[in-house]
Each structure stands twice: as structure tokens, then as C-alpha cells.
Amino acid sequence: MDIQKTVRTITNGASSAANEADWRRAAMEQALLLAADDGTPPFALLNAFQQYLPGHEARVFSEDRLRLLSALRRHLDEMTPVFTQALYRSDDETTFPSYGWWRGALPGDEAATLEIILSPAFYGSGSFIIAGPSGPALDALVARVLDEAARPTSRCLRFASSSWQDAPEMESETDKITWDDIVLPPALLTDIRATIDAFFTQQETFRALRFPWRRGMLLVGPPGTGKTMVCKAAAATYRDVPFLYVRDLTSRGIQDVIAQIFTRARKLAPCILAIEDIDGLIGKDNRTVFLNELDGFRNNDGILIIASSNHPERIDEALLKRPSRFDRVYHIGLPDRAERAEYCRRILARLPNLSPDVDIAALSERAVEGTEGFTPAFLKEAFLSAVLQMAQEGRYTLDETFAAAVQEQVDTLRKYQKKANNPEAHAHFQN
């Protein structure tokens, strides 16, 4: 597509004021076509700058679009759209501009006009181009805006829709968790806590030994055994550091996405970077990029990585064979009887309608009968279902009959568990 020809066609017979806007629209039209072809619209936009604004200097970078646009509006005296932007609604119902073009002015210098372009993309982050006539002033503005856009308004950030998003609801949930809520073998829990505490309290020791101040922990075990709870407890313990949570990565632009994750972690360090289900996130297509970000020539000072996996056999061996990647690997298995009973005691102690006549210790021991192989998540479900069952029957005081309701739910969950582990039985169960 010839952008100059497009401009001449669009502007034939139009006023000079209209002509001035039309080349911008033509450039964006070309960028949209290129985005569909090969995903490189910024190059078409830079080409337009060379042709029509030869005195301008351009800066190109990738950033969360909503954060950056908000920061720009706070730092510019004015920011006027050149034409109406298109909006995109993501799977989590967040609305993003899919592209846009604005004109602005540097603060205190109305003559120094800026061109601000959001390159076409359907992700939470996007390629921005900011062009202006003044190099130093332009660099200073970009540095301020990027710094502000990187700072979270919430201590917790979640990576979703290919970008970092504030997660105040996660912060509220995390702050309720303590180490006392986690039931693990005492030696294991003590070791995990000691590793996390040592990272944040022994920075000078790392420096004195000339070791990089970074650590990687890998938690492996079946679903529902408390791996996520460990991450939350660590975040709740160190509330003065950001908590960055990653659970899913888009398959589009995966290399840029991984770099984006670590770039934000470096900016916010010291911080906790939690990566859940890492076996499903890191594979042959992105392993090299991930390893380079993890322990290449990058400065990851101040980053504590806590990764988890339900399927350790699927984890790429390259992640496990060098201590500089994951220094400690913790196996969090199914709880034994004593641990299950302790978990039950803690659940019962929190129930508001439990009759004072109930012997919590005795009821806990009875409740774990037949629960071998149950995770804490399964135990919690048994108690919740029993409470709901009694409420449906109009019984709101949890007395001794509650034990029978719990045992009934345990029997149901055990049958479900057996069927879920047997594909043929599971198919029959669903029918």
C-alpha cells in the first residue's frame, strides 16, 4: 500500500487542515493492514514520521496501554485525539483501545507538540510511539511516564490479558493468610519459611559473599496441597514488597510476554514473583527466552521467584539442573492422618455456629476416617458441603449430628475421587 497515494486520494479537493489529518489516518490504515499481515505496524508508522515530520525524534516502547495513557494525560498540558480510537474487550471484560493517535504538548512549551501513537494490537500491552521536536525534553517525559506507569496502585499485580494489572482483590485476600493457615510437615514448613525469611532479611550476607541477591523456589505436588497458600503467606508476611502473580501466558508474542514479566519484576524489586503451574507455561518454544531472563546477563537482584507445579515430571530439565535457576525444590505431598486431623481442627475452630458441646479434637479424628489421599482442598469441601446440607435441612447449629453430615460428604467425595481417577468410571458417572 502506497501511503502517499492514499493521502492524495483521500485529500483530493479537501482543505489543507483536512489534509494535515488525513496522512495520519492513512498511516494508521497502512499499519492496520500490516498488523493483519505480519504483526509489525510500528514500522509503517515510523516510515510516516520520516516522510511527514522529518524534524521530529521518535521513541518506541511497549507498555500497558491503560496505565501509560493515564500517565500521559497527567503529564501533558493537553492530549487531543486525532481520530476516534477502536476499543477491544478482553476475555476478562477489560476494555482496551486497540489503536489510537493523539496530539499533545510538552508541559510549559505549547509550541513543542507531540505525536502519540498506540500501534494496533489486541493485547493489554501495546507498542507506543511518541515523537517530538526536542530530544532531551522528550526523553525526560518518556522516563517520567514510564516510571509512573510501572508503579502499581496495589501491592499485588496479576499478569492477565498479556499485561500486568492491579489486583486489589488479591491483596485483600492475601492479607488474610498467615503461616498458621498452612498444614504441612513441621520440618518442611520451617524450611520453606526460613528460605523466604533469609532472602529478605539477609541481603547484606548475599553482598558480602558476592552472590547475586536472588532466589528461586519450586513447589511441586498434587493440586490442592497448599502451594498457592505458601505464596500468599509469603506475600502477607512481607507486605512492604510487591507481589507479582503469573498463572497463564498468551501464546501470541510469547517471547515478548516473558520479557515483559521480568522487566516489571526488575523495576519493582525487591519483590516476590509467583509463577503458578510453570510446567504448562514454559516449554520448548519459550524455554531459551525464559532461561535468559532467569539467569542470563540480566540483573535480577531483589527478585524472589516462587514457582509451582502439579506435574513435576513435565517440567523442562533445564529448569531443574542448575541451582541458579531454582535453588530449592520442595515436594508438598498429600497430608498424612495427623496433618489431615490438624486441618480439620482448624476448620472447625473457625465455624461460627459450632455448638460448644462439640469436642473439636474428637470430631476431627472421626472426620478424617476414610480420607486417606484427600488434599486439604478436598477436606475443606467436605466440611463446606456438610454445612450447606444442614442449612438446607433447616439446622443451623452445628452439633454432634454435624459429624454424620461430614462423614456422608467424605463418602461422596471418596466415590467421586475414585471415579475421577478412572476415565471409564468417570464417563459413566457423568451420564
Side-chain angles (χ1 to χ4, degrees), residues 120-332:
F122 293 109
Y123 311 108
S125 61
S127 295
F128 279 87
I129 301 175
I130 298 181
S134 173
L138 184 62
D139 286 336
L141 172 69
V142 170
R144 290 196 304 271
V145 168
L146 287 177
D147 179 69
E148 183 172 320
R151 277 188 259 120
T153 58
S154 168
R155 183 172 64 87
C156 294
L157 290 175
R158 177 189 290 109
F159 194 81
S161 298
S162 303
S163 68
W164 287 109
Q165 298 175 16
D166 288 317
E169 75 289 348
M170 179 182 290
E171 181 173 0
S172 176
E173 177 187 349
T174 297
D175 287 346
K176 300 174 184 176
I177 304 299
T178 70
W179 290 110
D180 291 337
D181 295 314
I182 301 175
V183 179
L184 291 176
L188 175 60
L189 185 58
T190 297
D191 195 1
I192 291 174
R193 292 186 64 176
T195 298
I196 295 171
D197 291 340
F199 178 80
F200 287 112
T201 61
Q202 300 296 326
Q203 179 182 355
E204 294 307 317
T205 302
F206 282 85
R207 301 285 188 234
L209 296 174
R210 297 184 179 180
F211 289 161
W213 183 39
R214 66 186 186 198
R215 293 288 272 174
M217 300 170 55
L218 179 60
L219 313 176
V220 298
T225 51
K227 298 185 295 297
T228 302
M229 289 283 284
V230 168
C231 294
K232 291 180 178 180
T237 301
Y238 293 95
R239 300 188 183 191
D240 56 338
V241 301
F243 178 67
L244 287 71
Y245 177 80
V246 179
R247 183 162 187 170
D248 59 283
L249 302 178
T250 177
S251 60
R252 306 173 74 177
I254 187 66
Q255 296 183 357
D256 291 339
V257 165
I258 291 176
Q260 183 182 349
I261 288 171
F262 278 90
T263 296
R264 179 58 59 87
R266 294 184 192 109
K267 288 180 179 179
L268 297 179
C271 67
I272 299 171
L273 175 59
I275 305 176
E276 195 156 13
D277 298 330
I278 194 171
D279 54 275
L281 301 182
I282 309 303
K284 293 181 180 180
D285 58 337
N286 57 18
R287 177 183 61 184
T288 300
V289 175
F290 183 80
L291 293 179
N292 286 337
E293 294 290 340
L294 191 63
D295 68 349
F297 293 100
R298 304 286 190 176
N299 181 4
N300 289 334
D301 255 23
I303 302 178
L304 172 64
I305 300 177
I306 306 179
S308 69
S309 171
N310 297 332
H311 304 283
E313 73 281 358
R314 300 179 187 174
I315 299 177
D316 195 302
E317 290 187 356
L319 296 175
L320 301 176
K321 290 187 176 181
R322 282 181 56 183
S324 62
R325 291 168 181 168
F326 288 106
D327 312 281
R328 303 299 298 271
V329 178
Y330 293 103
H331 295 266
I332 301 179

Side-chain angles (χ1 to χ4, degrees), residues 40-100:
T40 57
F43 293 101
L45 299 167
L46 290 171
N47 180 59
F49 277 120
Q50 288 183 338
Q51 294 184 51
Y52 295 97
L53 295 172
H56 277 48
E57 296 184 14
R59 303 291 182 267
V60 185
F61 49 88
S62 180
E63 186 55 74
D64 180 277
R65 58 190 64 202
L66 296 180
R67 285 175 173 273
L68 191 110
L69 288 173
S70 178
L72 277 168
R73 290 189 176 98
R74 288 192 293 270
H75 283 273
L76 296 180
D77 288 341
E78 60 177 281
M79 188 170 164
T80 306
V82 174
F83 46 79
T84 303
Q85 60 185 328
L87 299 178
Y88 166 72
R89 182 177 291 273
S90 64
D91 292 339
D92 63 359
E93 298 188 353
T94 303
T95 299
F96 302 101
S98 60
Y99 65 86

